[in-house]
């Protein structure tokens, strides 16, 4: 089992930036594909971004493409989500998730989840 701890959330004005971090332990991090997901009140959890084990391949939801960047540091067992030009509709609890080997954009494909970090964007 993988333990995941997110940090970096907070309150920011529209147009601002935040960087989320997710520290992993319990498994060899370089064997894990990683994803960021988010869930707003009353809505289902949705895909935000994924990154392959090496970091060489990334994918993004259309709603965040060009504004968010996912990256990872395998030496630090950490995955990041740099969020720029934030909008009120980005307000949600953000979760990182891990799965063996291959990325997926489907939340149900991920067995391991962090506790989430709240991001609130004011207008």
């Amino acid at each position: 089992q993988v333990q995941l701890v997110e940090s970096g959330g907070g309150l920011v004005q529209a147009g601002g930036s935040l960087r989320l971090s997710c520290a992993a332990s319990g498994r060899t991090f370089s064997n894990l594909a990683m994803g960021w997901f988010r869930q707003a009140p009353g809505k289902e959890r949705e895909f935000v971004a994924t990154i392959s084990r090496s970091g060489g391949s990334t994918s993004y939801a259309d709603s965040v493409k060009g504004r968010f960047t996912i990256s990872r540091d395998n030496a630090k067992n950490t995955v990041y989500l740099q969020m720029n030009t934030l909008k009120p509709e980005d307000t949600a609890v953000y979760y990182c998730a891990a799965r063996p080997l291959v990325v997926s954009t489907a939340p149900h494909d991920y067995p391991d989840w962090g506790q989430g970090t709240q991001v609130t964007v004011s207008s």
Side-chain angles (χ1 to χ4, degrees), residues 12-17 67 83-88 90 121-123:
V12 64
Q13 288 188 331
S17 298
R67 300 187 297 122
M83 306 185 294
N84 298 329
T85 320
L86 282 160
K87 304 175 180 180
D90 294 318
V121 184
S122 63
S123 58

Side-chain angles (χ1 to χ4, degrees), residues 1-7 21-24 34-37 39 45 79 93-98 110-117:
Q1 189 173 359
V2 181
Q3 290 76 48
L4 301 169
V5 179
E6 300 101 334
S7 61
S21 299
C22 173
M34 301 296 296
W36 283 98
F37 297 82
Q39 188 165 18
R45 194 167 297 188
V79 62
V93 177
Y94 283 71
Y95 299 89
C96 71
Y110 287 79
D112 297 298
W113 292 82
Q115 82 288 352
T117 186

Side-chain angles (χ1 to χ4, degrees), residues 20-63:
L20 306 183
S21 299
C22 173
S25 61
R27 289 269 178 92
T28 301
F29 186 65
S30 58
N31 288 342
L32 298 173
M34 301 296 296
W36 283 98
F37 297 82
R38 67 187 182 186
Q39 188 165 18
K43 295 188 176 181
E44 293 189 354
R45 194 167 297 188
E46 66 175 6
F47 157 69
V48 174
T50 62
I51 188 165
S52 63
R53 288 175 291 156
S54 68
S57 177
T58 58
S59 64
Y60 298 91
D62 287 344
S63 59

Side-chain angles (χ1 to χ4, degrees), residues 4 22 40 53 66 69-70 72 93 98 103 114 120:
L4 301 169
C22 173
R53 288 175 291 156
T69 303
I70 188 171
R72 66 190 292 162
V93 177
V103 296
T120 303

